[in-house]
Amino acid sequence: MQRLTVLAILTFLSTFAFAPERASAQAGAASVVRLEASPPSVVVMTGEEVPFEVRALDAQGRVVADAEVRTVAPRAAATVRGGTVRGRAMGEYEIVATLLTPAGYEGTPPSLRVPLTVLAPEVATVEVTAEPGRLYQGTTLRHTATARHADGSARTAPVVSWSSSDPSVATVDRFGYVTATGTGAVTIRADVEGTAGTAAYDVAPFPAVSLDIAGLADEVRTGDVQHLTAVARDAAGEVVADVPVTWTHTAVPDAEMIAPSAPGQIARGRFVADVPGVYTIVANAGPLSARATLQAVGRDAVRELTLVGTGSTATVRTTDFWVFEGLDGRDYALTGAKMSDGYAYAWDVTNPANIFKTDSLQVDARAVNDVKVSPDARYATLTREGASNRRNGVVFLDLADPAHPVIASEVVEGLTGGVHNAFPDDDYAYVLAAGDKYVIIDVADIYNPRVVGEYNHPDSRLHDVWVLNGIAYSAEWEKGMVAVDVGNGRWGGTPENPVLISELPVPTGTTHAIFPYQSQSTDRFYVFVGDENMQRRGLANAGPRGGGSYQLPYDPETGMNGIPLATQGYIQVIDFTDPDNPEMVARYEVSEYGTHNIWVEDDILYQAYYEGGLRVVDVSGELMGNLYTQGREIAVHKSTDVNGWVPNSTMVWSAMPFKGHVFFSDTNSGLWSVKVEPPERPVS
């Protein structure tokens, strides 16, 4: 208890010491009348930095040193930080600067829009690649062009002009599809800003005389992936292995299905049915075609879900949580919170129907965003955002007495600017630093943690990290998934010397959460990646009330605040079976809502889907297409509390299965426990 007393005094002193600084900042904001940028417009190359600052001026044109100004640019375009602008994507944009104002500030805060031009280096090379197969007369191959700068970096979204040296032999459309119309030599050319790449062909006569589809099942469930094989043979009956084949399908849905969307999908030689019905699969190769039919039946994944218990915290906005078996043999959960003056809570969940709070502890933070427990249940991590002295960092908790955790230590050096996420392993903790990098900390002694390494992926904004089998998987805004060897050893990485394995861009650019998973029913290794868009485009106000902030609780007297959010986003599934060549293969999208934290266990996805509630999804077998439309949803639970932060509003933050129950946190109402009943129990 002595450690707690000392830390409490230190927290009090740091808060007290910061009070004059905060008061000074408030007075400074009141005297600001305009903002001034230097330079007044910014031109920067992608991958490079230029100096940039915004000054707050009073009525006499003097700099107000204590005033705080927030400067932002579109995430995809540039990063504005530390007196610099770093270019990321070519184009014309704006940097928006706004004076940060204290409570009680009257009027509209001064703001400024600064023109931003991001240029790209000249294109040095263009590489043309084709999909597998040989270009025979009458066949089509898709080509792609990759434009690179002199340093080897790829140009984002290059404008490509395609041409053929002899259209009588082969034509090419603006998408790079090359169709052989004759025989002979031909060169396909891709031009990007005056630099060209080529692919040369000697088109031969089409050699096959027959085409058959092999190995297609007669009946499948929706969501079951079929691998398509087309066998082409020449006049002698020999297989012609390099004939390119294109696949299409038609569908006749079951009688009760009226106008289903996207009944099935074919991609890269694989087919999946989204809705029940009869499907005709068609293979085309030159002048030949083959057809086969199959029937898809419903997946029948639905199971009953029962509400078991709750741990209400409606006076704060509950964030992340972790449930675990304590060293004393009982079961516990730790929860974080926003708008809570830095409080986190300990709960006894041994009986999920009787969840009760055992303790609380406070750190210097506006929000304890992320809470996790090490696999050995020896310690926990709390991440801090909005510390009074702006030194956020990570707090390590000693769980020797899990009902009453105590603060063992904290690490703040190199972790300022808001620590959003951390991942504690038995020996090391991986802690985010202001979205730039993750710092690797040796936690063999949690009372004396040591920073031993870090990883900073270029030109990206880090949001979450998860470590499995010595590989750190990170969700990076604009970059997508990044995988790094931090001790696996196959690529030579260690915690002290991380080594990049591979990365895969995610098309939405709002990559937020990540979860690696070895499929139990196949040999596939998947990485589930989630988007997060906190307000859908085109939606000004999600609430029926008079306005205010979703950050503040609803005030029944004024009708203000407590506005429900309207989020958007979906889960994207990456096949990481070949770590050097990851491939996006599937998604889970409930179009009305946005995703948050992810958990996958025993081939079941437990998805926190914000206003969409807790979603329990069958992810068994090979994955392809949109899992939502394939009937893979097992159960859905929307948590509501009339006394919640936003009354009767669902906002599920995180979910985790544990000992036959599913626990989840809702930012408006606290900790919940439900049970997914066995499949043999009938659904009421």
Side-chain angles (χ1 to χ4, degrees), residues 58-208:
D58 63 14
Q60 286 73 43
R62 296 173 300 196
V63 174
V64 181
D66 293 332
E68 295 183 63
V69 178
R70 181 174 183 260
T71 55
V72 295
R75 281 194 176 102
T79 301
V80 184
R81 182 178 301 142
T84 65
V85 176
R86 183 177 181 85
R88 299 183 61 187
M90 186 173 64
E92 299 287 336
Y93 310 97
E94 284 186 329
I95 298 171
V96 179
T98 307
L99 178 70
L100 295 180
T101 58
Y105 181 91
E106 296 183 358
T108 302
S111 63
L112 181 68
R113 292 181 176 271
V114 181
L116 168 64
T117 301
V118 181
L119 304 175
E122 291 185 358
V123 173
T125 62
V126 176
E127 178 184 359
V128 177
T129 56
E131 62 186 355
R134 181 177 175 182
L135 191 63
Y136 290 108
Q137 184 178 11
T139 63
T140 298
L141 286 177
R142 182 178 179 235
H143 293 64
T144 57
T146 303
R148 297 192 182 277
H149 311 128
D151 64 358
S153 61
R155 170 66 63 85
T156 302
V159 178
V160 183
S161 297
W162 294 92
S163 61
S164 168
S165 64
D166 189 347
S168 68
V169 176
T171 61
V172 58
D173 66 15
R174 64 192 183 96
F175 303 107
Y177 285 90
V178 176
T179 300
T181 54
T183 60
V186 67
T187 298
I188 303 301
R189 178 184 173 102
D191 283 275
V192 180
E193 299 176 13
T195 301
T198 60
Y201 291 99
D202 185 6
V203 180
F206 187 78

Side-chain angles (χ1 to χ4, degrees), residues 96 188 233 294 301 358 366 387 434 479-480 547 570 575 606 615 653:
V96 179
I188 303 301
R233 298 182 184 275
L294 62 81
T358 61
R366 182 185 70 251
K479 286 291 185 179
Y570 57 88
D575 189 332
Y606 300 91
R615 324 289 291 209
W653 179 285

Side-chain angles (χ1 to χ4, degrees), residues 128 151 165 207-208 236 272 281 293 319 423 505 539 581 597 664:
V128 177
D151 64 358
S165 64
V272 65
I281 310 299
T293 58
T319 55
F423 187 88
L539 187 64
N581 297 286
N597 289 348
F664 67 92

